[in-house]
Amino acid sequence: MNLKMYLNKRPGLKQVVHRLLIPHNEARPRWWVSWLVNPFVHQRHRSSIVRLTARLDVLPFNAFSLGSHSIIEDYCVINNGVGEVSIGPNSHIGIGTVVIGPTRIGANVIIGQHVVLSGLNHVYEDIQVPIRNQPIRVSPIVIDDDCWLGANVTICAGVTIGKHAVVAGGSVVTESVLPFTVVGGNPARILKRYDRTAETWVSES
């Protein structure tokens, strides 16, 4: 039994550990977690770059990894509090982007400025309880290799973006996108597909 499973079976102890790691009603870990624990727990390649103003709100009880030659730009927030976050090699996370786990980003991915990827949703159905006090649901986001997400894109929980797909700037993606497809809009719809027979990109009519 790993530590996470052990704590999940002991709610009281889990709450104490949680308070030691994160201040009450906050998502950012305490300074000593970031400086003294995370560097020994998480996998960050020595050639990767995290800009000075980026926030790594990562905790030791969920995985975080950053591949070789990948860059997390200024003002980004990466949060693994409710699910692991992995970023493959040679990927670029643009300025001001927010990534909330569970999220897996592959290799050679370009993510533009101010993109939001959130594998988390709040439960709201009980009108007698404030939404912030209701449970959360998580559903993993997957961004496959070689994708490009334009600026100001939102990727909703549970969505997979297939290999070498493109999401046009400003789009809201609520359903999974097939490989070698261009989508855009709110909600996003297919704009182009790659035709392997013709060996060209074909617009949707």
PDB file of all heavy atoms in Angstrom, residues 155-186:
ATOM      1  N   ILE A 155      -9.499  23.787 -22.821  1.00  0.00           N
ATOM      2  CA  ILE A 155      -9.701  22.348 -22.999  1.00  0.00           C
ATOM      3  C   ILE A 155     -10.418  21.835 -21.755  1.00  0.00           C
ATOM      4  O   ILE A 155      -9.913  21.952 -20.634  1.00  0.00           O
ATOM      5  CB  ILE A 155      -8.367  21.601 -23.180  1.00  0.00           C
ATOM      6  CG1 ILE A 155      -7.535  22.217 -24.315  1.00  0.00           C
ATOM      7  CG2 ILE A 155      -8.624  20.118 -23.426  1.00  0.00           C
ATOM      8  CD1 ILE A 155      -8.116  22.058 -25.690  1.00  0.00           C
ATOM      9  N   CYS A 156     -11.602  21.258 -21.944  1.00  0.00           N
ATOM     10  CA  CYS A 156     -12.415  20.814 -20.813  1.00  0.00           C
ATOM     11  C   CYS A 156     -11.999  19.419 -20.334  1.00  0.00           C
ATOM     12  O   CYS A 156     -11.354  18.657 -21.056  1.00  0.00           O
ATOM     13  CB  CYS A 156     -13.891  20.809 -21.211  1.00  0.00           C
ATOM     14  SG  CYS A 156     -14.539  22.453 -21.604  1.00  0.00           S
ATOM     15  N   ALA A 157     -12.391  19.100 -19.114  1.00  0.00           N
ATOM     16  CA  ALA A 157     -12.055  17.816 -18.501  1.00  0.00           C
ATOM     17  C   ALA A 157     -12.535  16.656 -19.375  1.00  0.00           C
ATOM     18  O   ALA A 157     -13.616  16.705 -19.961  1.00  0.00           O
ATOM     19  CB  ALA A 157     -12.680  17.720 -17.114  1.00  0.00           C
ATOM     20  N   GLY A 158     -11.711  15.615 -19.463  1.00  0.00           N
ATOM     21  CA  GLY A 158     -12.073  14.407 -20.188  1.00  0.00           C
ATOM     22  C   GLY A 158     -11.761  14.429 -21.662  1.00  0.00           C
ATOM     23  O   GLY A 158     -11.990  13.441 -22.361  1.00  0.00           O
ATOM     24  N   VAL A 159     -11.220  15.526 -22.172  1.00  0.00           N
ATOM     25  CA  VAL A 159     -10.962  15.676 -23.603  1.00  0.00           C
ATOM     26  C   VAL A 159      -9.578  15.117 -23.956  1.00  0.00           C
ATOM     27  O   VAL A 159      -8.606  15.334 -23.231  1.00  0.00           O
ATOM     28  CB  VAL A 159     -11.061  17.158 -24.034  1.00  0.00           C
ATOM     29  CG1 VAL A 159     -10.441  17.387 -25.407  1.00  0.00           C
ATOM     30  CG2 VAL A 159     -12.513  17.602 -24.023  1.00  0.00           C
ATOM     31  N   THR A 160      -9.506  14.406 -25.078  1.00  0.00           N
ATOM     32  CA  THR A 160      -8.235  13.983 -25.664  1.00  0.00           C
ATOM     33  C   THR A 160      -8.053  14.702 -26.996  1.00  0.00           C
ATOM     34  O   THR A 160      -8.958  14.702 -27.830  1.00  0.00           O
ATOM     35  CB  THR A 160      -8.205  12.461 -25.895  1.00  0.00           C
ATOM     36  OG1 THR A 160      -8.215  11.791 -24.625  1.00  0.00           O
ATOM     37  CG2 THR A 160      -6.958  12.032 -26.665  1.00  0.00           C
ATOM     38  N   ILE A 161      -6.890  15.311 -27.180  1.00  0.00           N
ATOM     39  CA  ILE A 161      -6.535  15.936 -28.454  1.00  0.00           C
ATOM     40  C   ILE A 161      -5.565  14.982 -29.148  1.00  0.00           C
ATOM     41  O   ILE A 161      -4.466  14.737 -28.656  1.00  0.00           O
ATOM     42  CB  ILE A 161      -5.879  17.312 -28.261  1.00  0.00           C
ATOM     43  CG1 ILE A 161      -6.739  18.214 -27.359  1.00  0.00           C
ATOM     44  CG2 ILE A 161      -5.625  17.967 -29.613  1.00  0.00           C
ATOM     45  CD1 ILE A 161      -8.077  18.587 -27.933  1.00  0.00           C
ATOM     46  N   GLY A 162      -5.989  14.425 -30.283  1.00  0.00           N
ATOM     47  CA  GLY A 162      -5.200  13.406 -30.966  1.00  0.00           C
ATOM     48  C   GLY A 162      -3.924  13.955 -31.579  1.00  0.00           C
ATOM     49  O   GLY A 162      -3.737  15.169 -31.732  1.00  0.00           O
ATOM     50  N   LYS A 163      -3.043  13.041 -31.955  1.00  0.00           N
ATOM     51  CA  LYS A 163      -1.722  13.403 -32.463  1.00  0.00           C
ATOM     52  C   LYS A 163      -1.811  14.375 -33.649  1.00  0.00           C
ATOM     53  O   LYS A 163      -2.637  14.228 -34.540  1.00  0.00           O
ATOM     54  CB  LYS A 163      -0.985  12.137 -32.890  1.00  0.00           C
ATOM     55  CG  LYS A 163       0.430  12.388 -33.383  1.00  0.00           C
ATOM     56  CD  LYS A 163       1.154  11.096 -33.707  1.00  0.00           C
ATOM     57  CE  LYS A 163       2.575  11.394 -34.184  1.00  0.00           C
ATOM     58  NZ  LYS A 163       3.349  10.172 -34.475  1.00  0.00           N
ATOM     59  N   HIS A 164      -0.922  15.384 -33.632  1.00  0.00           N
ATOM     60  CA  HIS A 164      -0.753  16.353 -34.726  1.00  0.00           C
ATOM     61  C   HIS A 164      -2.063  17.102 -35.043  1.00  0.00           C
ATOM     62  O   HIS A 164      -2.311  17.509 -36.173  1.00  0.00           O
ATOM     63  CB  HIS A 164      -0.238  15.656 -35.981  1.00  0.00           C
ATOM     64  CG  HIS A 164       0.495  16.565 -36.911  1.00  0.00           C
ATOM     65  ND1 HIS A 164       1.858  16.576 -37.023  1.00  0.00           N
ATOM     66  CD2 HIS A 164       0.043  17.513 -37.770  1.00  0.00           C
ATOM     67  CE1 HIS A 164       2.220  17.477 -37.937  1.00  0.00           C
ATOM     68  NE2 HIS A 164       1.139  18.059 -38.389  1.00  0.00           N
ATOM     69  N   ALA A 165      -2.904  17.255 -34.013  1.00  0.00           N
ATOM     70  CA  ALA A 165      -4.121  18.047 -34.188  1.00  0.00           C
ATOM     71  C   ALA A 165      -3.829  19.504 -33.860  1.00  0.00           C
ATOM     72  O   ALA A 165      -2.886  19.824 -33.132  1.00  0.00           O
ATOM     73  CB  ALA A 165      -5.244  17.521 -33.308  1.00  0.00           C
ATOM     74  N   VAL A 166      -4.662  20.401 -34.412  1.00  0.00           N
ATOM     75  CA  VAL A 166      -4.522  21.843 -34.197  1.00  0.00           C
ATOM     76  C   VAL A 166      -5.836  22.385 -33.650  1.00  0.00           C
ATOM     77  O   VAL A 166      -6.914  22.060 -34.175  1.00  0.00           O
ATOM     78  CB  VAL A 166      -4.172  22.572 -35.516  1.00  0.00           C
ATOM     79  CG1 VAL A 166      -4.118  24.079 -35.299  1.00  0.00           C
ATOM     80  CG2 VAL A 166      -2.858  22.055 -36.087  1.00  0.00           C
ATOM     81  N   VAL A 167      -5.742  23.201 -32.605  1.00  0.00           N
ATOM     82  CA  VAL A 167      -6.917  23.866 -32.048  1.00  0.00           C
ATOM     83  C   VAL A 167      -6.747  25.363 -32.268  1.00  0.00           C
ATOM     84  O   VAL A 167      -5.793  25.972 -31.773  1.00  0.00           O
ATOM     85  CB  VAL A 167      -7.102  23.554 -30.555  1.00  0.00           C
ATOM     86  CG1 VAL A 167      -8.353  24.264 -30.028  1.00  0.00           C
ATOM     87  CG2 VAL A 167      -7.202  22.045 -30.327  1.00  0.00           C
ATOM     88  N   ALA A 168      -7.651  25.965 -33.030  1.00  0.00           N
ATOM     89  CA  ALA A 168      -7.555  27.388 -33.365  1.00  0.00           C
ATOM     90  C   ALA A 168      -7.712  28.252 -32.122  1.00  0.00           C
ATOM     91  O   ALA A 168      -8.416  27.892 -31.169  1.00  0.00           O
ATOM     92  CB  ALA A 168      -8.631  27.751 -34.393  1.00  0.00           C
ATOM     93  N   GLY A 169      -7.059  29.407 -32.128  1.00  0.00           N
ATOM     94  CA  GLY A 169      -7.095  30.323 -31.004  1.00  0.00           C
ATOM     95  C   GLY A 169      -8.507  30.693 -30.587  1.00  0.00           C
ATOM     96  O   GLY A 169      -9.393  30.869 -31.425  1.00  0.00           O
ATOM     97  N   GLY A 170      -8.723  30.784 -29.280  1.00  0.00           N
ATOM     98  CA  GLY A 170     -10.012  31.186 -28.741  1.00  0.00           C
ATOM     99  C   GLY A 170     -11.049  30.088 -28.660  1.00  0.00           C
ATOM    100  O   GLY A 170     -12.178  30.335 -28.236  1.00  0.00           O
ATOM    101  N   SER A 171     -10.694  28.884 -29.036  1.00  0.00           N
ATOM    102  CA  SER A 171     -11.669  27.792 -29.068  1.00  0.00           C
ATOM    103  C   SER A 171     -11.927  27.223 -27.680  1.00  0.00           C
ATOM    104  O   SER A 171     -11.075  27.272 -26.793  1.00  0.00           O
ATOM    105  CB  SER A 171     -11.174  26.659 -29.981  1.00  0.00           C
ATOM    106  OG  SER A 171     -10.982  27.117 -31.294  1.00  0.00           O
ATOM    107  N   VAL A 172     -13.121  26.657 -27.504  1.00  0.00           N
ATOM    108  CA  VAL A 172     -13.480  25.904 -26.301  1.00  0.00           C
ATOM    109  C   VAL A 172     -13.752  24.467 -26.734  1.00  0.00           C
ATOM    110  O   VAL A 172     -14.703  24.213 -27.494  1.00  0.00           O
ATOM    111  CB  VAL A 172     -14.711  26.506 -25.595  1.00  0.00           C
ATOM    112  CG1 VAL A 172     -15.097  25.663 -24.389  1.00  0.00           C
ATOM    113  CG2 VAL A 172     -14.444  27.945 -25.181  1.00  0.00           C
ATOM    114  N   VAL A 173     -12.925  23.548 -26.271  1.00  0.00           N
ATOM    115  CA  VAL A 173     -13.006  22.163 -26.726  1.00  0.00           C
ATOM    116  C   VAL A 173     -13.699  21.332 -25.652  1.00  0.00           C
ATOM    117  O   VAL A 173     -13.171  21.144 -24.554  1.00  0.00           O
ATOM    118  CB  VAL A 173     -11.616  21.584 -27.043  1.00  0.00           C
ATOM    119  CG1 VAL A 173     -11.745  20.187 -27.638  1.00  0.00           C
ATOM    120  CG2 VAL A 173     -10.864  22.499 -28.005  1.00  0.00           C
ATOM    121  N   THR A 174     -14.893  20.845 -25.973  1.00  0.00           N
ATOM    122  CA  THR A 174     -15.692  20.074 -25.026  1.00  0.00           C
ATOM    123  C   THR A 174     -15.724  18.587 -25.359  1.00  0.00           C
ATOM    124  O   THR A 174     -16.162  17.788 -24.540  1.00  0.00           O
ATOM    125  CB  THR A 174     -17.141  20.599 -25.001  1.00  0.00           C
ATOM    126  OG1 THR A 174     -17.700  20.488 -26.319  1.00  0.00           O
ATOM    127  CG2 THR A 174     -17.179  22.052 -24.546  1.00  0.00           C
ATOM    128  N   GLU A 175     -15.276  18.212 -26.571  1.00  0.00           N
ATOM    129  CA  GLU A 175     -15.256  16.814 -26.981  1.00  0.00           C
ATOM    130  C   GLU A 175     -13.896  16.483 -27.580  1.00  0.00           C
ATOM    131  O   GLU A 175     -13.195  17.363 -28.107  1.00  0.00           O
ATOM    132  CB  GLU A 175     -16.356  16.536 -28.015  1.00  0.00           C
ATOM    133  CG  GLU A 175     -17.761  16.737 -27.470  1.00  0.00           C
ATOM    134  CD  GLU A 175     -18.832  16.392 -28.502  1.00  0.00           C
ATOM    135  OE1 GLU A 175     -18.460  16.109 -29.663  1.00  0.00           O
ATOM    136  OE2 GLU A 175     -20.011  16.414 -28.136  1.00  0.00           O
ATOM    137  N   SER A 176     -13.527  15.215 -27.531  1.00  0.00           N
ATOM    138  CA  SER A 176     -12.215  14.794 -28.012  1.00  0.00           C
ATOM    139  C   SER A 176     -12.041  15.071 -29.504  1.00  0.00           C
ATOM    140  O   SER A 176     -13.016  15.080 -30.270  1.00  0.00           O
ATOM    141  CB  SER A 176     -11.999  13.313 -27.719  1.00  0.00           C
ATOM    142  OG  SER A 176     -11.912  13.094 -26.318  1.00  0.00           O
ATOM    143  N   VAL A 177     -10.775  15.303 -29.888  1.00  0.00           N
ATOM    144  CA  VAL A 177     -10.429  15.673 -31.261  1.00  0.00           C
ATOM    145  C   VAL A 177      -9.596  14.549 -31.867  1.00  0.00           C
ATOM    146  O   VAL A 177      -8.619  14.088 -31.265  1.00  0.00           O
ATOM    147  CB  VAL A 177      -9.626  17.000 -31.270  1.00  0.00           C
ATOM    148  CG1 VAL A 177      -9.162  17.341 -32.683  1.00  0.00           C
ATOM    149  CG2 VAL A 177     -10.479  18.126 -30.689  1.00  0.00           C
ATOM    150  N   LEU A 178      -9.959  14.126 -33.071  1.00  0.00           N
ATOM    151  CA  LEU A 178      -9.237  13.054 -33.738  1.00  0.00           C
ATOM    152  C   LEU A 178      -7.842  13.518 -34.163  1.00  0.00           C
ATOM    153  O   LEU A 178      -7.616  14.710 -34.384  1.00  0.00           O
ATOM    154  CB  LEU A 178     -10.012  12.584 -34.970  1.00  0.00           C
ATOM    155  CG  LEU A 178     -11.339  11.877 -34.711  1.00  0.00           C
ATOM    156  CD1 LEU A 178     -12.078  11.656 -36.020  1.00  0.00           C
ATOM    157  CD2 LEU A 178     -11.109  10.553 -33.997  1.00  0.00           C
ATOM    158  N   PRO A 179      -6.904  12.571 -34.308  1.00  0.00           N
ATOM    159  CA  PRO A 179      -5.577  12.942 -34.817  1.00  0.00           C
ATOM    160  C   PRO A 179      -5.673  13.588 -36.200  1.00  0.00           C
ATOM    161  O   PRO A 179      -6.606  13.327 -36.970  1.00  0.00           O
ATOM    162  CB  PRO A 179      -4.848  11.596 -34.894  1.00  0.00           C
ATOM    163  CG  PRO A 179      -5.574  10.699 -33.951  1.00  0.00           C
ATOM    164  CD  PRO A 179      -7.005  11.140 -33.983  1.00  0.00           C
ATOM    165  N   PHE A 180      -4.698  14.450 -36.512  1.00  0.00           N
ATOM    166  CA  PHE A 180      -4.560  15.077 -37.830  1.00  0.00           C
ATOM    167  C   PHE A 180      -5.837  15.819 -38.237  1.00  0.00           C
ATOM    168  O   PHE A 180      -6.344  15.694 -39.349  1.00  0.00           O
ATOM    169  CB  PHE A 180      -4.179  14.024 -38.879  1.00  0.00           C
ATOM    170  CG  PHE A 180      -2.993  13.197 -38.487  1.00  0.00           C
ATOM    171  CD1 PHE A 180      -3.145  11.911 -38.013  1.00  0.00           C
ATOM    172  CD2 PHE A 180      -1.711  13.724 -38.558  1.00  0.00           C
ATOM    173  CE1 PHE A 180      -2.054  11.149 -37.631  1.00  0.00           C
ATOM    174  CE2 PHE A 180      -0.609  12.981 -38.173  1.00  0.00           C
ATOM    175  CZ  PHE A 180      -0.776  11.684 -37.712  1.00  0.00           C
ATOM    176  N   THR A 181      -6.344  16.580 -37.275  1.00  0.00           N
ATOM    177  CA  THR A 181      -7.577  17.343 -37.470  1.00  0.00           C
ATOM    178  C   THR A 181      -7.359  18.767 -36.971  1.00  0.00           C
ATOM    179  O   THR A 181      -6.647  18.989 -35.995  1.00  0.00           O
ATOM    180  CB  THR A 181      -8.737  16.694 -36.687  1.00  0.00           C
ATOM    181  OG1 THR A 181      -8.880  15.331 -37.082  1.00  0.00           O
ATOM    182  CG2 THR A 181     -10.045  17.416 -36.934  1.00  0.00           C
ATOM    183  N   VAL A 182      -7.980  19.734 -37.656  1.00  0.00           N
ATOM    184  CA  VAL A 182      -7.990  21.127 -37.197  1.00  0.00           C
ATOM    185  C   VAL A 182      -9.401  21.450 -36.714  1.00  0.00           C
ATOM    186  O   VAL A 182     -10.377  21.204 -37.440  1.00  0.00           O
ATOM    187  CB  VAL A 182      -7.591  22.097 -38.327  1.00  0.00           C
ATOM    188  CG1 VAL A 182      -7.640  23.545 -37.829  1.00  0.00           C
ATOM    189  CG2 VAL A 182      -6.205  21.762 -38.868  1.00  0.00           C
ATOM    190  N   VAL A 183      -9.506  21.986 -35.492  1.00  0.00           N
ATOM    191  CA  VAL A 183     -10.814  22.362 -34.964  1.00  0.00           C
ATOM    192  C   VAL A 183     -10.778  23.815 -34.513  1.00  0.00           C
ATOM    193  O   VAL A 183      -9.711  24.379 -34.226  1.00  0.00           O
ATOM    194  CB  VAL A 183     -11.242  21.452 -33.781  1.00  0.00           C
ATOM    195  CG1 VAL A 183     -11.321  19.998 -34.219  1.00  0.00           C
ATOM    196  CG2 VAL A 183     -10.309  21.613 -32.592  1.00  0.00           C
ATOM    197  N   GLY A 184     -11.959  24.427 -34.443  1.00  0.00           N
ATOM    198  CA  GLY A 184     -12.046  25.796 -33.969  1.00  0.00           C
ATOM    199  C   GLY A 184     -13.467  26.160 -33.613  1.00  0.00           C
ATOM    200  O   GLY A 184     -14.422  25.524 -34.078  1.00  0.00           O
ATOM    201  N   GLY A 185     -13.611  27.182 -32.765  1.00  0.00           N
ATOM    202  CA  GLY A 185     -14.943  27.665 -32.414  1.00  0.00           C
ATOM    203  C   GLY A 185     -15.317  27.370 -30.978  1.00  0.00           C
ATOM    204  O   GLY A 185     -14.570  26.775 -30.211  1.00  0.00           O
ATOM    205  N   ASN A 186     -16.520  27.796 -30.603  1.00  0.00           N
ATOM    206  CA  ASN A 186     -17.061  27.574 -29.264  1.00  0.00           C
ATOM    207  C   ASN A 186     -18.519  27.149 -29.365  1.00  0.00           C
ATOM    208  O   ASN A 186     -19.384  27.972 -29.657  1.00  0.00           O
ATOM    209  CB  ASN A 186     -16.950  28.848 -28.426  1.00  0.00           C
ATOM    210  CG  ASN A 186     -17.485  28.671 -27.023  1.00  0.00           C
ATOM    211  OD1 ASN A 186     -17.802  27.569 -26.597  1.00  0.00           O
ATOM    212  ND2 ASN A 186     -17.594  29.783 -26.295  1.00  0.00           N
TER     213      ASN A 186
END
